[in-house]
Short mmCIF file of all heavy atoms in Angstrom, two decimals:
data_model
loop_
_atom_site.label_atom_id
_atom_site.label_comp_id
_atom_site.label_asym_id
_atom_site.label_seq_id
_atom_site.Cartn_x
_atom_site.Cartn_y
_atom_site.Cartn_z
N LYS A 584 -12.56 0.98 9.68
CA LYS A 584 -13.60 1.47 8.69
C LYS A 584 -14.84 2.10 9.33
O LYS A 584 -15.31 3.06 8.82
CB LYS A 584 -14.03 0.23 7.83
CG LYS A 584 -15.17 0.55 6.90
CD LYS A 584 -15.76 -0.70 6.26
CE LYS A 584 -17.03 -0.31 5.51
NZ LYS A 584 -17.73 -1.53 5.12
N TYR A 588 -14.27 5.44 7.21
CA TYR A 588 -14.83 5.25 5.84
C TYR A 588 -15.90 6.35 5.69
O TYR A 588 -17.04 6.18 6.02
CB TYR A 588 -15.38 3.93 5.59
CG TYR A 588 -15.95 3.66 4.23
CD1 TYR A 588 -15.15 3.65 3.14
CD2 TYR A 588 -17.27 3.51 4.01
CE1 TYR A 588 -15.58 3.51 1.86
CE2 TYR A 588 -17.82 3.35 2.70
CZ TYR A 588 -16.95 3.34 1.61
OH TYR A 588 -17.46 3.16 0.39
N ARG A 785 -38.93 -4.93 4.93
CA ARG A 785 -38.22 -5.35 6.16
C ARG A 785 -38.61 -6.69 6.68
O ARG A 785 -37.67 -7.50 7.11
CB ARG A 785 -38.56 -4.26 7.31
CG ARG A 785 -37.96 -2.91 7.10
CD ARG A 785 -38.12 -2.02 8.28
NE ARG A 785 -37.43 -0.75 8.12
CZ ARG A 785 -37.99 0.35 7.59
NH1 ARG A 785 -39.23 0.30 7.26
NH2 ARG A 785 -37.27 1.44 7.44
N LEU A 788 -36.78 -9.25 4.50
CA LEU A 788 -35.33 -9.37 4.82
C LEU A 788 -35.10 -10.10 6.09
O LEU A 788 -34.04 -10.85 6.23
CB LEU A 788 -34.68 -7.96 4.88
CG LEU A 788 -34.70 -7.20 3.58
CD1 LEU A 788 -34.20 -5.79 3.75
CD2 LEU A 788 -33.83 -7.89 2.52
N LEU A 802 -30.54 -11.84 -3.04
CA LEU A 802 -31.41 -10.70 -2.94
C LEU A 802 -31.29 -9.85 -4.21
O LEU A 802 -30.15 -9.48 -4.61
CB LEU A 802 -31.06 -9.83 -1.78
CG LEU A 802 -31.76 -8.46 -1.59
CD1 LEU A 802 -33.24 -8.71 -1.34
CD2 LEU A 802 -31.14 -7.70 -0.42
N PHE A 803 -32.47 -9.60 -4.87
CA PHE A 803 -32.44 -8.77 -6.08
C PHE A 803 -33.22 -7.47 -5.78
O PHE A 803 -34.35 -7.53 -5.19
CB PHE A 803 -33.08 -9.47 -7.25
CG PHE A 803 -33.24 -8.63 -8.47
CD1 PHE A 803 -32.19 -8.42 -9.41
CD2 PHE A 803 -34.41 -7.87 -8.76
CE1 PHE A 803 -32.32 -7.67 -10.50
CE2 PHE A 803 -34.52 -7.12 -9.89
CZ PHE A 803 -33.51 -7.01 -10.73
N LEU A 804 -32.61 -6.31 -6.03
CA LEU A 804 -33.25 -5.06 -5.77
C LEU A 804 -33.33 -4.23 -7.11
O LEU A 804 -32.27 -4.08 -7.79
CB LEU A 804 -32.40 -4.25 -4.77
CG LEU A 804 -32.38 -4.71 -3.33
CD1 LEU A 804 -31.31 -3.86 -2.51
CD2 LEU A 804 -33.70 -4.65 -2.70
N HIS A 807 -35.41 2.78 -7.01
CA HIS A 807 -34.68 4.06 -6.85
C HIS A 807 -33.73 3.98 -5.63
O HIS A 807 -34.12 3.39 -4.62
CB HIS A 807 -35.50 5.27 -6.71
CG HIS A 807 -36.00 5.82 -7.95
ND1 HIS A 807 -35.17 6.16 -8.99
CD2 HIS A 807 -37.33 6.17 -8.48
CE1 HIS A 807 -35.87 6.67 -10.04
NE2 HIS A 807 -37.20 6.59 -9.65
N GLY A 808 -32.48 4.47 -5.78
CA GLY A 808 -31.63 4.65 -4.62
C GLY A 808 -31.22 6.11 -4.59
O GLY A 808 -31.10 6.75 -5.57
N VAL A 809 -31.12 6.67 -3.38
CA VAL A 809 -30.72 8.02 -3.23
C VAL A 809 -29.63 8.24 -2.18
O VAL A 809 -29.55 7.45 -1.24
CB VAL A 809 -31.96 8.98 -2.88
CG1 VAL A 809 -32.95 8.99 -3.99
CG2 VAL A 809 -32.56 8.51 -1.53
N ASN A 810 -28.81 9.25 -2.39
CA ASN A 810 -27.87 9.60 -1.37
C ASN A 810 -28.57 10.40 -0.24
O ASN A 810 -29.41 11.29 -0.57
CB ASN A 810 -26.74 10.43 -1.86
CG ASN A 810 -25.82 9.61 -2.83
OD1 ASN A 810 -25.56 8.50 -2.48
ND2 ASN A 810 -25.38 10.22 -3.88
N ASP A 811 -28.19 10.17 1.02
CA ASP A 811 -28.68 10.93 2.10
C ASP A 811 -27.56 11.20 3.04
O ASP A 811 -27.29 10.45 4.00
CB ASP A 811 -29.79 10.20 2.87
CG ASP A 811 -30.48 10.99 3.91
OD1 ASP A 811 -30.60 12.20 3.73
OD2 ASP A 811 -30.78 10.45 4.99
N SER A 813 -24.12 10.84 4.38
CA SER A 813 -23.07 9.77 4.25
C SER A 813 -23.77 8.44 4.07
O SER A 813 -23.04 7.39 3.94
CB SER A 813 -22.27 9.73 5.52
OG SER A 813 -22.98 9.42 6.61
N ASP A 814 -25.11 8.43 4.03
CA ASP A 814 -25.79 7.08 3.83
C ASP A 814 -26.41 6.94 2.48
O ASP A 814 -26.50 7.93 1.73
CB ASP A 814 -26.86 6.97 4.98
CG ASP A 814 -27.26 5.54 5.22
OD1 ASP A 814 -26.66 4.67 4.56
OD2 ASP A 814 -28.13 5.26 6.04
N TYR A 815 -26.83 5.77 2.21
CA TYR A 815 -27.50 5.48 0.94
C TYR A 815 -28.85 4.84 1.23
O TYR A 815 -28.94 3.96 2.08
CB TYR A 815 -26.66 4.52 0.04
CG TYR A 815 -27.20 4.21 -1.27
CD1 TYR A 815 -27.13 5.13 -2.29
CD2 TYR A 815 -27.78 2.96 -1.57
CE1 TYR A 815 -27.59 4.85 -3.57
CE2 TYR A 815 -28.23 2.66 -2.79
CZ TYR A 815 -28.17 3.56 -3.83
OH TYR A 815 -28.67 3.30 -5.05
N LEU A 816 -29.90 5.24 0.60
CA LEU A 816 -31.26 4.80 0.91
C LEU A 816 -31.87 4.09 -0.32
O LEU A 816 -31.71 4.54 -1.45
CB LEU A 816 -32.18 5.98 1.28
CG LEU A 816 -31.68 6.86 2.44
CD1 LEU A 816 -32.70 8.01 2.61
CD2 LEU A 816 -31.48 6.11 3.70
N PHE A 817 -32.55 2.94 -0.01
CA PHE A 817 -33.36 2.31 -1.05
C PHE A 817 -34.81 2.77 -0.78
O PHE A 817 -35.27 2.70 0.40
CB PHE A 817 -33.27 0.80 -0.91
CG PHE A 817 -34.16 0.07 -1.90
CD1 PHE A 817 -33.88 0.07 -3.21
CD2 PHE A 817 -35.23 -0.62 -1.39
CE1 PHE A 817 -34.75 -0.53 -4.10
CE2 PHE A 817 -36.10 -1.28 -2.28
CZ PHE A 817 -35.83 -1.19 -3.67
N LEU A 818 -35.49 3.12 -1.86
CA LEU A 818 -36.86 3.73 -1.67
C LEU A 818 -37.96 2.64 -2.02
O LEU A 818 -38.14 2.27 -3.14
CB LEU A 818 -37.05 4.91 -2.63
CG LEU A 818 -35.99 6.08 -2.43
CD1 LEU A 818 -36.39 7.21 -3.36
CD2 LEU A 818 -35.89 6.51 -1.01
N VAL A 834 -38.31 4.48 4.43
CA VAL A 834 -37.15 4.19 3.57
C VAL A 834 -36.30 3.12 4.19
O VAL A 834 -36.44 2.78 5.44
CB VAL A 834 -36.36 5.45 3.30
CG1 VAL A 834 -37.06 6.45 2.52
CG2 VAL A 834 -35.79 6.02 4.61
N LEU A 835 -35.42 2.55 3.42
CA LEU A 835 -34.52 1.45 3.98
C LEU A 835 -33.13 1.95 3.92
O LEU A 835 -32.52 2.21 2.84
CB LEU A 835 -34.73 0.18 3.15
CG LEU A 835 -34.07 -1.05 3.72
CD1 LEU A 835 -34.83 -1.48 5.02
CD2 LEU A 835 -34.04 -2.19 2.72
N GLN A 836 -32.53 2.14 5.08
CA GLN A 836 -31.10 2.51 5.15
C GLN A 836 -30.23 1.33 4.63
O GLN A 836 -30.46 0.19 5.05
CB GLN A 836 -30.64 2.81 6.60
CG GLN A 836 -30.93 4.25 6.99
CD GLN A 836 -30.30 4.52 8.28
OE1 GLN A 836 -30.18 3.73 9.21
NE2 GLN A 836 -29.70 5.75 8.46
N TRP A 837 -29.27 1.67 3.85
CA TRP A 837 -28.44 0.63 3.27
C TRP A 837 -27.73 -0.12 4.39
O TRP A 837 -27.53 -1.29 4.37
CB TRP A 837 -27.42 1.21 2.27
CG TRP A 837 -26.50 0.13 1.82
CD1 TRP A 837 -25.23 -0.09 2.19
CD2 TRP A 837 -26.83 -0.89 0.91
NE1 TRP A 837 -24.69 -1.24 1.56
CE2 TRP A 837 -25.73 -1.72 0.76
CE3 TRP A 837 -27.95 -1.19 0.08
CZ2 TRP A 837 -25.67 -2.83 -0.12
CZ3 TRP A 837 -27.90 -2.28 -0.72
CH2 TRP A 837 -26.80 -3.11 -0.82
N GLN A 838 -27.23 0.63 5.40
CA GLN A 838 -26.48 0.00 6.47
C GLN A 838 -27.34 -1.02 7.20
O GLN A 838 -26.91 -2.12 7.53
CB GLN A 838 -26.04 1.06 7.48
CG GLN A 838 -25.03 0.56 8.49
CD GLN A 838 -23.76 0.06 7.89
OE1 GLN A 838 -23.13 0.77 7.09
NE2 GLN A 838 -23.32 -1.18 8.19
N ALA A 839 -28.65 -0.72 7.40
CA ALA A 839 -29.57 -1.69 8.03
C ALA A 839 -29.73 -2.91 7.22
O ALA A 839 -29.80 -4.04 7.70
CB ALA A 839 -30.91 -1.03 8.36
N LEU A 840 -29.92 -2.74 5.88
CA LEU A 840 -30.07 -3.82 4.96
C LEU A 840 -28.84 -4.71 4.95
O LEU A 840 -28.89 -5.91 5.00
CB LEU A 840 -30.30 -3.29 3.56
CG LEU A 840 -30.61 -4.35 2.40
CD1 LEU A 840 -31.44 -3.64 1.37
CD2 LEU A 840 -29.31 -4.82 1.80
N GLN A 841 -27.66 -4.11 4.92
CA GLN A 841 -26.40 -4.79 4.90
C GLN A 841 -26.16 -5.59 6.22
O GLN A 841 -25.67 -6.72 6.17
CB GLN A 841 -25.25 -3.88 4.63
CG GLN A 841 -23.96 -4.56 4.33
CD GLN A 841 -22.99 -4.67 5.55
OE1 GLN A 841 -23.23 -3.95 6.47
NE2 GLN A 841 -22.15 -5.64 5.58
N ASN A 842 -26.60 -5.01 7.29
CA ASN A 842 -26.42 -5.62 8.61
C ASN A 842 -27.35 -6.99 8.64
O ASN A 842 -26.80 -7.92 9.22
CB ASN A 842 -26.89 -4.74 9.75
CG ASN A 842 -25.82 -3.65 9.98
OD1 ASN A 842 -24.70 -3.74 9.52
ND2 ASN A 842 -26.20 -2.60 10.68
N ILE A 843 -28.45 -6.95 8.09
CA ILE A 843 -29.26 -8.11 8.03
C ILE A 843 -28.60 -9.18 7.27
O ILE A 843 -28.48 -10.37 7.62
CB ILE A 843 -30.65 -7.76 7.49
CG1 ILE A 843 -31.42 -6.91 8.48
CG2 ILE A 843 -31.47 -9.08 7.21
CD1 ILE A 843 -32.74 -6.38 7.93
N LEU A 844 -28.09 -8.84 6.09
CA LEU A 844 -27.38 -9.81 5.25
C LEU A 844 -26.20 -10.37 5.92
O LEU A 844 -25.82 -11.52 5.77
CB LEU A 844 -27.11 -9.26 3.92
CG LEU A 844 -28.26 -9.17 2.85
CD1 LEU A 844 -27.77 -8.57 1.61
CD2 LEU A 844 -28.82 -10.58 2.56
N GLN A 845 -25.44 -9.49 6.57
CA GLN A 845 -24.20 -9.87 7.22
C GLN A 845 -24.49 -10.98 8.25
O GLN A 845 -23.61 -11.85 8.50
CB GLN A 845 -23.52 -8.71 7.83
CG GLN A 845 -22.20 -8.99 8.49
CD GLN A 845 -21.40 -7.76 8.88
OE1 GLN A 845 -21.70 -6.63 8.39
NE2 GLN A 845 -20.48 -7.88 9.82
N VAL A 852 -25.74 -13.54 -2.04
CA VAL A 852 -25.53 -12.85 -3.33
C VAL A 852 -26.50 -11.69 -3.41
O VAL A 852 -27.67 -11.82 -3.09
CB VAL A 852 -25.83 -13.82 -4.46
CG1 VAL A 852 -25.60 -13.16 -5.81
CG2 VAL A 852 -24.89 -15.07 -4.35
N MET A 853 -26.00 -10.53 -3.84
CA MET A 853 -26.83 -9.37 -4.10
C MET A 853 -26.78 -8.95 -5.62
O MET A 853 -25.69 -8.78 -6.14
CB MET A 853 -26.43 -8.19 -3.28
CG MET A 853 -26.62 -8.42 -1.81
SD MET A 853 -26.37 -6.85 -0.88
CE MET A 853 -27.64 -5.80 -1.65
N LEU A 854 -27.92 -8.78 -6.22
CA LEU A 854 -28.02 -8.26 -7.52
C LEU A 854 -28.77 -6.95 -7.45
O LEU A 854 -29.97 -6.85 -6.99
CB LEU A 854 -28.81 -9.18 -8.46
CG LEU A 854 -28.27 -10.60 -8.53
CD1 LEU A 854 -29.16 -11.49 -9.30
CD2 LEU A 854 -26.86 -10.59 -9.20
N VAL A 855 -28.08 -5.82 -7.76
CA VAL A 855 -28.56 -4.48 -7.36
C VAL A 855 -28.73 -3.60 -8.68
O VAL A 855 -27.78 -3.33 -9.35
CB VAL A 855 -27.61 -3.80 -6.42
CG1 VAL A 855 -28.17 -2.41 -5.91
CG2 VAL A 855 -27.31 -4.65 -5.24
N ASP A 856 -29.95 -3.22 -8.82
CA ASP A 856 -30.31 -2.33 -10.00
C ASP A 856 -31.01 -1.11 -9.48
O ASP A 856 -32.19 -0.85 -9.83
CB ASP A 856 -31.06 -3.12 -11.07
CG ASP A 856 -31.05 -2.35 -12.41
OD1 ASP A 856 -30.49 -1.32 -12.51
OD2 ASP A 856 -31.62 -2.91 -13.37
N THR A 857 -30.38 -0.30 -8.60
CA THR A 857 -31.00 0.79 -7.91
C THR A 857 -30.54 2.16 -8.34
O THR A 857 -30.94 3.14 -7.75
CB THR A 857 -30.88 0.71 -6.33
OG1 THR A 857 -29.48 0.82 -6.09
CG2 THR A 857 -31.33 -0.67 -5.92
N CYS A 858 -29.74 2.25 -9.31
CA CYS A 858 -29.10 3.56 -9.59
C CYS A 858 -29.66 4.25 -10.78
O CYS A 858 -28.96 4.72 -11.63
CB CYS A 858 -27.54 3.29 -9.77
SG CYS A 858 -26.83 2.41 -8.43
N PHE A 864 -25.74 7.32 -6.41
CA PHE A 864 -24.84 6.12 -6.20
C PHE A 864 -24.04 6.43 -4.95
O PHE A 864 -23.41 7.50 -4.75
CB PHE A 864 -23.96 5.83 -7.33
CG PHE A 864 -23.06 4.64 -7.14
CD1 PHE A 864 -23.46 3.40 -7.52
CD2 PHE A 864 -21.80 4.82 -6.56
CE1 PHE A 864 -22.62 2.31 -7.34
CE2 PHE A 864 -21.03 3.78 -6.36
CZ PHE A 864 -21.44 2.47 -6.76
N ASN A 865 -23.93 5.47 -4.03
CA ASN A 865 -23.10 5.65 -2.91
C ASN A 865 -22.10 4.45 -2.90
O ASN A 865 -22.58 3.29 -2.92
CB ASN A 865 -23.90 5.61 -1.59
CG ASN A 865 -23.08 6.08 -0.43
OD1 ASN A 865 -21.97 5.56 -0.17
ND2 ASN A 865 -23.53 7.02 0.35
N ALA A 866 -20.80 4.72 -2.83
CA ALA A 866 -19.83 3.67 -2.86
C ALA A 866 -20.02 2.67 -1.73
O ALA A 866 -19.62 1.52 -1.81
CB ALA A 866 -18.42 4.26 -2.76
N ARG A 867 -20.79 3.13 -0.65
CA ARG A 867 -20.95 2.27 0.50
C ARG A 867 -21.69 0.98 0.14
O ARG A 867 -21.50 -0.07 0.70
CB ARG A 867 -21.70 3.00 1.60
CG ARG A 867 -21.86 2.27 2.86
CD ARG A 867 -22.54 3.13 3.90
NE ARG A 867 -21.76 4.20 4.29
CZ ARG A 867 -20.76 4.18 5.29
NH1 ARG A 867 -20.48 3.02 5.82
NH2 ARG A 867 -20.08 5.22 5.56
N LEU A 868 -22.57 1.02 -0.89
CA LEU A 868 -23.40 -0.08 -1.32
C LEU A 868 -22.43 -1.25 -1.69
O LEU A 868 -22.62 -2.35 -1.16
CB LEU A 868 -24.18 0.36 -2.52
CG LEU A 868 -25.20 -0.61 -3.12
CD1 LEU A 868 -26.30 0.17 -3.84
CD2 LEU A 868 -24.55 -1.48 -4.18
N ILE A 869 -21.44 -1.01 -2.52
CA ILE A 869 -20.53 -2.10 -2.92
C ILE A 869 -19.56 -2.40 -1.83
O ILE A 869 -19.33 -3.58 -1.54
CB ILE A 869 -19.81 -1.68 -4.20
CG1 ILE A 869 -20.76 -1.26 -5.30
CG2 ILE A 869 -18.88 -2.80 -4.62
CD1 ILE A 869 -21.62 -2.43 -5.80
N LYS A 870 -19.05 -1.40 -1.19
CA LYS A 870 -17.97 -1.59 -0.19
C LYS A 870 -18.49 -2.43 0.98
O LYS A 870 -17.84 -3.36 1.45
CB LYS A 870 -17.52 -0.21 0.24
CG LYS A 870 -16.53 -0.24 1.40
CD LYS A 870 -15.21 -0.82 0.94
CE LYS A 870 -14.18 -0.66 2.12
NZ LYS A 870 -13.07 -1.66 1.97
N ASP A 871 -19.65 -2.10 1.53
CA ASP A 871 -20.12 -2.79 2.76
C ASP A 871 -20.44 -4.27 2.40
O ASP A 871 -20.17 -5.16 3.20
CB ASP A 871 -21.40 -2.10 3.25
CG ASP A 871 -21.13 -0.82 3.95
OD1 ASP A 871 -19.91 -0.54 4.24
OD2 ASP A 871 -22.07 -0.10 4.33
N ALA A 872 -20.99 -4.48 1.23
CA ALA A 872 -21.33 -5.88 0.82
C ALA A 872 -20.07 -6.68 0.70
O ALA A 872 -19.99 -7.80 1.15
CB ALA A 872 -22.17 -5.85 -0.43
N ALA A 873 -19.09 -6.10 0.07
CA ALA A 873 -17.82 -6.84 -0.18
C ALA A 873 -17.13 -7.15 1.17
O ALA A 873 -16.57 -8.24 1.37
CB ALA A 873 -16.93 -6.02 -1.09
N ASP A 874 -17.12 -6.18 2.08
CA ASP A 874 -16.49 -6.41 3.35
C ASP A 874 -17.13 -7.50 4.17
O ASP A 874 -16.53 -8.08 5.02
CB ASP A 874 -16.47 -5.07 4.17
CG ASP A 874 -15.45 -4.08 3.62
OD1 ASP A 874 -14.56 -4.52 2.87
OD2 ASP A 874 -15.58 -2.85 3.97
N ALA A 875 -18.44 -7.71 3.95
CA ALA A 875 -19.13 -8.76 4.67
C ALA A 875 -19.07 -10.07 3.89
O ALA A 875 -19.84 -11.00 4.26
CB ALA A 875 -20.57 -8.29 4.88
N ILE A 877 -20.19 -10.68 0.95
CA ILE A 877 -21.44 -10.89 0.11
C ILE A 877 -21.01 -10.67 -1.32
O ILE A 877 -20.46 -9.62 -1.71
CB ILE A 877 -22.53 -9.89 0.56
CG1 ILE A 877 -22.86 -10.11 2.02
CG2 ILE A 877 -23.68 -9.96 -0.28
CD1 ILE A 877 -23.71 -9.00 2.62
N VAL A 878 -21.36 -11.57 -2.17
CA VAL A 878 -21.12 -11.45 -3.60
C VAL A 878 -22.08 -10.38 -4.13
O VAL A 878 -23.28 -10.46 -3.89
CB VAL A 878 -21.34 -12.77 -4.35
CG1 VAL A 878 -21.10 -12.61 -5.87
CG2 VAL A 878 -20.41 -13.81 -3.83
N VAL A 879 -21.53 -9.39 -4.80
CA VAL A 879 -22.39 -8.25 -5.26
C VAL A 879 -22.16 -7.98 -6.75
O VAL A 879 -21.05 -8.00 -7.17
CB VAL A 879 -22.13 -7.02 -4.41
CG1 VAL A 879 -20.75 -6.59 -4.52
CG2 VAL A 879 -23.11 -5.89 -4.78
N LEU A 880 -23.28 -7.86 -7.41
CA LEU A 880 -23.29 -7.46 -8.91
C LEU A 880 -24.23 -6.25 -8.94
O LEU A 880 -25.45 -6.47 -8.82
CB LEU A 880 -23.70 -8.62 -9.80
CG LEU A 880 -23.69 -8.35 -11.25
CD1 LEU A 880 -22.33 -7.85 -11.79
CD2 LEU A 880 -24.03 -9.65 -11.96
N ALA A 881 -23.69 -5.05 -9.23
CA ALA A 881 -24.50 -3.86 -9.27
C ALA A 881 -24.55 -3.25 -10.65
O ALA A 881 -23.58 -3.44 -11.48
CB ALA A 881 -23.96 -2.82 -8.24
#
Side-chain angles (χ1 to χ4, degrees):
K584 176 191 169 189
Y588 180 67
R785 289 190 176 91
L788 293 175
L802 174 64
F803 176 84
L804 292 172
H807 278 307
V809 296
N810 290 322
D811 185 37
S813 63
D814 203 0
Y815 182 76
L816 305 178
F817 176 71
L818 303 185
V834 295
L835 192 68
Q836 274 191 323
W837 176 259
Q838 190 63 50
L840 185 153
Q841 191 264 337
N842 287 343
I843 291 172
L844 280 179
Q845 184 171 338
V852 181
M853 293 190 62
L854 304 172
V855 185
D856 198 355
T857 65
C858 307
F864 180 89
N865 192 311
R867 186 176 295 277
L868 184 153
I869 304 297
K870 175 68 176 158
D871 285 350
D874 286 344
I877 299 169
V878 178
V879 60
L880 180 56

